[in-house]
Amino acid sequence: MNIQILFSLKLLLKQRSIFVAMLVLLIAVPLILVSLNGSGLSLREAWYTILHLQMIVAVLIVPIILHSIWKGKIQLFEKQLILYHIHKPFEYYMAKLFAVCFVISSILVLFYTVFWLLLFDQISITLWYSTIVQIILTLAFAVALAGLLSLLLKRTIYGTILMILYLIISIQFIRSSMFALWFNPDFIEQMMLEPSFLIQRFALLCWIIILLLTSKALFVRQVVSS
Amino acid sequence: MKLILSNICKKYKNTVLNQISFEVESGILGLLGENGAGKTTLIEIIATLIKPTDGTVYYDDFTFENDLYKIRHQIGYLPQKFDFFPNLTVEEALYYICKLKGINNKEQRAIEIDEKIRQVGLEEQKKKKFCMLSGGMKQRLGIAQALIGNPKILLVDEPTVGLDPHERVAFRQLLSSLAQERLIILSTHIIEDVAMTSDMVLVLHKGKVNYFGHISSLIESVRGKVWRYKGDSIVKEIQQQGIIIGSHPTDTGIEVRFLAEHKIANSVLVSPTLEDAYIYTNRKRGTN
């Protein structure tokens, strides 16, 4: 499994243009938007606004980033040269998902860690910790969902459209954190620090497992039939 | 490694392979057949990529059902259309294959990669990305990845398709040099590739074995049946009774090379080639 993860990370990071675009979209754009509009924002408000913008961007770019290393179906050479030697072929797919989740999460976790370290006297460690948990959980869910959609749908664009719809519905209508991809910014502060919300949010882990099990069935069927 | 195929059949909607049996241990076995004869299916069965509908393949004492990964460890496979991740360099691609084949020792891996790169003559291209390589270089990388771990069986499927004449000659030389330490099965529809490299040949025709044995015996089987005719134009008898292999215009008219059981018109016997024997074998069995 390790070699598969390292290799997927390498493949992803070698696509420099995608990596740079990812950094710009995740870091530069939210910061610029907040600095343009947020002269009256407190530090805590700025934290939430940037997080909200970043999570929307992150969720939307997940299918595209995933597509750069996983095309949704096994290419012939992958079957003949790579899966040929892997005893558990599903690890290959899992490694791709993990690499995408790891890279995007790492950028955001690093960003908030630096942010917090610079202003630790004004931002509580609870907020930092809650933010990190939300980032990792939400991205893991988004990546697992994008992976499943890539196996189900023929084109990345269809997966991206569905992710956009789910994100909009989540923000606008879904009040339960157990089902939302991301949540309404009006509730963000209250929700982020509320233990019952955090516990509910862990229900995403169950959804992630279900998505991965479904993906496994589809992937194995592809390996056998291709 | 001794490779034994016993009554191999493969059926999808139609029968692709029918009762294929042969034994081979070393050297280069040329797998000849027209497009759709079942060559790639047979190679994929030997490579353990697909299961036969019926029959068994023995790799020494190993079988597909019981020893899949032990067998795969002993097989180097160059698929028909060799492709890889475009952004990886030659070295990185081989590094990944080494890891996949379980070569985890750093020094051993470095030696293995250097050796294979040298063996296939890609020293100057080792830092080049896969997408920047020419067709011939990609095939060389394909061979290099197949050779990682020094497999006892090397399967190459249509390796010279798309190569220019120089690359094709170089590739044949490379294959010949590799055959001293292992069994190579070369699948192709290019007769010249087999004639220049192989000791043994298996002729596949519509999923059946038309011939299996030494190339020289196959050629001998058509001695006395290959004719050359020179004249103003092709006579009707040649068209009706013979199998025309080739013809070209000359200063005085036309020269025709053909196969026939008996002399026709004022033709003369000529020495047979593998191409003559291949066409004769397939035509003879095809009409039966």
Side-chain angles (χ1 to χ4, degrees):
Chain A
M1 184 69 171
N2 275 351
I3 170 67
Q4 299 310 327
I5 291 172
L6 289 174
F7 182 71
S8 297
L9 282 169
K10 188 171 194 169
L11 274 185
L12 185 55
L13 298 178
K14 279 208 110 189
Q15 304 188 52
R16 282 185 199 140
S17 52
I18 286 181
F19 188 66
V20 170
M22 193 158 54
L23 284 177
V24 169
L25 285 168
L26 287 174
I27 308 291
V29 172
L31 281 178
I32 291 167
L33 286 174
V34 168
S35 65
L36 285 175
N37 298 310
S39 52
L41 292 176
S42 69
L43 208 55
R44 187 178 272 257
E45 284 168 340
W47 178 286
Y48 287 133
T49 311
I50 294 170
L51 175 65
H52 193 60
L53 287 169
Q54 279 177 328
M55 288 313 291
I56 289 171
V57 171
V59 166
L60 296 182
I61 63 171
V62 159
I64 299 157
I65 305 295
L66 182 61
H67 180 76
S68 69
I69 56 168
W70 167 248
K71 306 295 178 204
K73 68 172 196 172
I74 301 160
Q75 297 176 71
L76 196 57
F77 76 89
E78 289 177 303
K79 188 191 174 193
Q80 291 171 328
L81 304 174
I82 298 167
L83 296 177
Y84 189 72
H85 296 288
I86 302 175
H87 293 225
K88 292 176 186 166
F90 187 62
E91 286 180 357
Y92 183 69
Y93 169 83
M94 279 293 291
K96 306 269 184 195
L97 299 190
F98 182 84
V100 172
C101 188
F102 180 79
V103 169
I104 302 178
S105 305
S106 299
I107 293 169
L108 294 177
V109 167
L110 201 65
F111 175 85
Y112 283 98
T113 305
V114 172
F115 198 167
W116 179 75
L117 284 173
L118 289 173
L119 305 158
F120 69 95
D121 50 340
Q122 295 170 62
I123 303 279
S124 71
I125 192 165
T126 317
L127 179 58
W128 170 80
Y129 163 77
S130 308
T131 303
I132 301 299
V133 169
Q134 287 313 319
I135 288 170
I136 294 171
L137 270 176
T138 306
L139 278 171
F141 181 53
V143 170
L145 182 62
L148 177 63
L149 292 174
S150 77
L151 289 165
L152 287 170
L153 306 171
K154 281 187 179 171
R155 288 169 182 255
T156 313
I157 186 72
Y158 301 149
T160 312
I161 290 168
L162 286 177
M163 294 285 278
I164 292 171
L165 287 174
Y166 187 18
L167 185 62
I168 292 169
I169 292 167
S170 295
I171 292 172
Q172 289 294 320
F173 306 111
I174 302 176
R175 300 284 172 192
S176 170
S177 56
M178 282 197 288
F179 303 104
L181 188 51
W182 187 241
F183 31 84
N184 190 330
D186 296 341
F187 298 107
I188 195 167
E189 185 169 359
Q190 172 203 339
M191 285 174 155
M192 288 283 282
L193 299 172
E194 206 171 284
S196 67
F197 165 79
L198 283 174
I199 291 165
Q200 276 188 52
R201 199 69 182 148
F202 272 102
L204 282 189
L205 284 175
C206 299
W207 297 130
I208 292 168
I209 291 167
I210 291 168
L211 289 172
L212 290 178
L213 287 174
T214 316
S215 296
K216 185 178 182 179
L218 291 170
F219 182 84
V220 170
R221 202 172 68 179
Q222 247 193 48
V223 173
V224 173
S225 65
S226 63
Chain B
M1 179 175 260
K2 191 170 191 177
L3 180 71
I4 303 171
L5 276 81
S6 172
N7 297 317
I8 295 295
C9 295
K10 184 68 188 174
K11 287 177 188 166
Y12 293 108
K13 280 179 186 171
N14 301 319
T15 301
V16 181
L17 292 174
N18 194 1
Q19 300 281 317
I20 307 290
S21 299
F22 66 89
E23 281 184 36
V24 64
E25 195 161 7
S26 58
I28 302 183
L29 169 68
L31 191 54
L32 261 183
E34 67 271 39
N35 291 331
K39 301 187 296 293
T40 296
T41 306
L42 184 56
I43 285 274
E44 286 183 347
I45 286 174
I46 297 171
T48 72
L49 276 163
I50 53 175
K51 279 184 183 176
T53 313
D54 207 0
T56 313
V57 185
Y58 299 94
Y59 311 78
D60 280 341
D61 296 326
F62 298 144
T63 56
F64 184 98
E65 288 77 18
N66 304 323
D67 315 281
L68 181 63
Y69 288 95
K70 281 182 194 164
I71 295 167
R72 287 184 173 180
H73 210 70
Q74 298 296 336
I75 291 177
Y77 176 48
L78 172 61
Q80 193 169 4
K81 286 171 190 159
F82 176 68
D83 201 359
F84 214 68
F85 299 101
N87 285 328
L88 288 191
T89 65
V90 168
E91 263 183 339
E92 287 167 340
L94 293 179
Y95 175 92
Y96 186 39
I97 298 291
C98 275
K99 285 289 227 173
L100 286 170
K101 290 192 178 181
I103 304 170
N104 293 317
N105 181 289
K106 203 175 171 183
E107 282 175 17
Q108 195 193 341
R109 199 166 51 230
I111 292 168
E112 186 84 7
I113 292 171
D114 280 349
E115 187 186 295
K116 300 312 175 225
I117 285 177
R118 202 174 46 249
Q119 218 167 355
V120 300
L122 280 176
E123 293 101 323
E124 287 175 19
Q125 285 79 28
K126 66 180 180 183
K127 301 283 181 198
K128 262 193 181 178
K129 285 184 177 178
F130 182 78
C131 59
M132 304 301 284
L133 300 176
S134 70
M137 288 173 192
K138 283 180 182 170
Q139 288 300 76
R140 282 170 180 270
L141 176 59
I143 281 284
Q145 66 78 25
L147 287 173
I148 295 277
N150 291 319
K152 291 178 181 167
I153 299 176
L154 183 61
L155 305 170
V156 284
D157 194 1
E158 304 276 8
T160 58
V161 170
L163 300 189
D164 66 37
H166 291 292
E167 285 176 331
R168 183 169 288 177
V169 169
F171 200 85
R172 284 182 199 143
Q173 284 169 353
L174 175 63
L175 277 187
S176 300
S177 69
L178 295 171
Q180 283 156 22
E181 297 162 25
R182 56 181 62 81
L183 165 67
I184 298 180
I185 300 185
L186 163 66
S187 160
T188 182
H189 63 272
I190 301 167
I191 295 166
E192 207 183 344
D193 285 349
V194 173
M196 295 290 184
T197 55
S198 311
D199 327 300
M200 305 275 285
V201 65
L202 186 142
V203 179
L204 264 185
H205 182 64
K206 293 179 181 170
K208 288 182 180 172
V209 176
N210 261 3
Y211 177 84
F212 171 68
H214 285 279
I215 287 183
S216 53
S217 307
L218 179 62
I219 294 172
E220 276 308 306
S221 68
V222 288
R223 191 169 291 283
K225 295 182 176 96
V226 188
W227 306 85
R228 189 179 61 216
Y229 166 83
K230 279 183 181 176
D232 298 336
S233 60
I234 302 178
V235 294
K236 231 178 186 176
E237 286 167 294
I238 295 178
Q239 287 174 325
Q240 286 170 347
Q241 296 169 31
I243 302 165
I244 295 172
I245 291 167
S247 66
H248 64 269
T250 61
D251 296 340
T252 54
I254 194 162
E255 185 176 313
V256 183
R257 187 183 179 92
F258 66 97
L259 287 161
E261 298 292 337
H262 311 288
K263 183 172 179 167
I264 301 173
N266 55 346
S267 52
V268 291
L269 268 177
V270 290
S271 292
T273 63
L274 180 59
E275 188 179 15
D276 302 326
Y278 170 73
I279 291 171
Y280 180 77
T281 307
N282 275 357
R283 197 56 79 87
K284 193 174 75 176
R285 297 287 169 92
T287 52
N288 283 350

